Amino acid sequence: MSGVLLETVGLSRRFAVGRRAAGGKRASMLHAGDDVNLRVHAGESVGLVGESGCGKSTLVRLVSRLLDPSEGAIVFRERDIGAVPAAQFAAHPERGKIQMVFQDPTDSLNPRYSAADTIAEPMRLLRGARGDLAIAVRALADAVGLAPELLARFPHQLSGGQKARVGIARALASEPDLLILDEPTSALDVSVQAIILQLLARLRRERGLAYLFVSHDLNVVRLLCDRVVVMYLGRVVESGPAAEVFAHPRHPYTRALVSAIPGGTANLAGGRIRLSGEVRSPIDPDPAVCRFYGRCMQGAPRCGAEMPLLREPVAGHAVACHFDR
Amino acid sequence: MSATLRHIRYVLSENLVTLGAFALFTAFVLLAVLGPIVAPYDPLATDTARAMQPPSAAHWFGTDALGRDILSRIIIATRLDFGIAVAAVALSFVFGIALGLAAGFFGGWWDRIILRLADTIMAFPLFVLAMGIVAALGNSVANIVYATAIINLPFYIRVARAEANVRRNAGFVEAARLAGNGDWRILSHHIFPNILPPAMVQVSLNMGWAILNAAGLSFIGLGVRPPTPEWGIMVAEGATYIISGEWWVAFFPGMVLMLAVFCFNLLGDGLRDIIDPRRRT
């Protein structure tokens, strides 16, 4: 594992919600990402986990430069790419080096493009390839296990797994260093999921790619990822080596997550943890209250008065909790 | 290319109504192109000795008050009526789709200004607006085309805006950004081809409407002037004779007008099936 490929520093994104109140009062802000510091090394696979609405997708869109951050920097290969507006990033020299595989393979393919058109487009636009790309497209299709006779087909003529392969081939077409995978298998049949995951693992091995892997499925993250980052309501609550985090989760939220893995309770003392209480609102959250307070089984008055910061009690394993032993 | 042809053949063989509409459309286009060759008589030649003859073997659709052959006049008029409709619809398609795409895709001020423009046009009774435009700009075929184009503009703006707005945040548009597409390429390569099917249906429906509009303007004496053969004028000329029993003078041009509008309306569905790739199997 060599140098740092991607680093986000204090990355935040807020969305205005509702109407601006009369009298010049600022509109309410939904905090989708708050002060996120994330690091991906070259060739490393980092898993991003957390429940729905915790800001994973926002973070992924910020890093893939589809969305502009409210605050903070995104440093990719020692260049601050966060300052380039998303609308202009298509022409940026690093565009081809960060690519993404989308969650929904159907929605993410242009219905009027054949599979070959879809795969060839980034080659033309991002690598300046000219002329007939049939050979290059065929080679890439072969690498993702897409039969050459399917290349002339349109998305509605392909199965879910085939569409997922087209999406992966498109993401690889510009020869990226970092591949962002936004729940790449969640829209697929269970039987196809495993095949696509094996394909992703093989492609990473063969091409030395770094992955930022977003998933609900903790078992998948444990198998595929070197490190794991746990998010809760827009903030990182724990990060560390995958094996370490799954074996010895330090944050109460991570402990609850890990205890909920089917067949995974044996690893953990205390058995399955059931969370009660309501998720706090992400709209204008109190900066002095822990985001997990109210649902946390360890919650104490201090959690309602002071936001716990991310500390690193063990080198490489960070956690944001007052009660970390 | 051969796949496209095969698909067209498939759609036509599946749907006999569409096939009929296409046949009718082809007949009209042939008449428009070959009119002067096909027409049995000179459409302008008057002969008072043959005035007001009912349909016969020599004059299938009869003759009018000046003894002109109605069939020949109808055939010659096809080129003018279709020309006006095609030019007007092409103009409103190009400008309406471009404005609608900008409104739906960029949003914000673009959206507000363009939508208000469309609303302003829609606020008038459209035929009265067309009359006003022709009256103000002057009585010419070009001005009928402009007037018809302007009153059709809002329909294209609305179709393109609604479709672009839905697709602006579609996954494939985000994916296109990642593949290195800038705004203009996303609009032209990714969004525009996907709004073609609904836009083509609009074109087809509009065509019939544009023909009616041009004929209507001529009927009330705006635009095309006699003795030029034009369906609207011919209906207007014949209308005075219906009471006295000479029904054929207004009936045949009116019938052809109805057939043309009917043909374009039927064509709409067929066109959508041909253009939308999701119907391909």
Side-chain angles (χ1 to χ4, degrees), chain A residues 40-278:
Chain A
V40 181
H41 294 87
E44 185 187 30
S45 172
V46 175
L48 190 58
V49 298
E51 61 196 38
S52 300
C54 75
K56 298 185 304 268
S57 289
T58 300
L59 183 61
V60 152
R61 272 167 176 71
L62 288 171
V63 171
S64 62
R65 303 303 296 113
L66 286 169
L67 202 62
D68 286 322
S70 304
E71 264 163 45
I74 304 166
V75 182
F76 183 71
R77 301 208 300 183
E78 296 173 358
R79 283 207 234 184
D80 182 7
I81 57 167
V84 184
Q88 284 158 35
F89 196 70
H92 195 275
E94 301 293 354
R95 169 72 288 167
K97 294 293 165 191
I98 305 177
Q99 286 292 313
M100 176 153 149
V101 175
F102 287 82
Q103 183 172 4
D104 183 344
T106 306
D107 180 53
S108 66
L109 295 178
N110 184 342
R112 318 265 309 182
Y113 268 33
S114 70
D117 291 339
T118 297
I119 298 171
E121 191 173 50
M123 293 182 181
R124 279 185 220 284
L125 297 179
L126 297 173
R127 278 173 36 210
R130 290 283 165 270
D132 190 11
L133 298 177
I135 294 168
V137 169
R138 201 173 267 248
L140 200 50
D142 188 49
V144 299
L146 191 69
E149 62 268 21
L150 299 178
L151 283 171
R153 291 205 187 169
F154 289 92
H156 70 281
Q157 297 163 323
L158 297 169
S159 73
Q162 289 163 346
K163 281 185 271 201
R165 288 175 202 270
V166 174
I168 294 168
R170 165 176 60 192
L172 293 175
S174 60
E175 296 180 344
D177 291 338
L178 173 65
L179 199 58
I180 297 166
L181 300 136
D182 186 6
E183 306 194 34
T185 57
S186 63
L188 301 173
D189 285 348
V190 180
S191 57
V192 185
Q193 283 182 1
I195 299 168
I196 295 293
L197 289 170
Q198 282 166 7
L199 170 69
L200 288 170
R202 179 170 61 79
L203 288 168
R204 188 165 86 91
R205 256 197 329 275
E206 287 172 2
R207 294 170 183 248
L209 297 165
Y211 279 180
L212 180 58
F213 192 98
V214 178
S215 185
H216 273 117
D217 190 337
L218 295 172
N219 275 325
V220 167
V221 170
R222 178 155 59 175
L223 285 174
L224 231 65
C225 298
D226 305 321
R227 270 194 320 121
V228 58
V229 174
V230 184
M231 281 185 82
Y232 187 80
L233 271 189
R235 294 185 77 94
V236 173
V237 294
E238 182 161 2
S239 75
E244 170 83 13
V245 169
F246 283 108
H248 308 288
R250 302 184 82 104
H251 194 279
Y253 177 63
T254 320
R255 283 213 294 278
L257 274 185
V258 172
S259 81
I261 300 175
T265 12
N267 302 335
L268 217 66
R272 177 132 155 66
I273 301 168
R274 286 179 195 281
L275 293 177
S276 57
E278 285 288 307

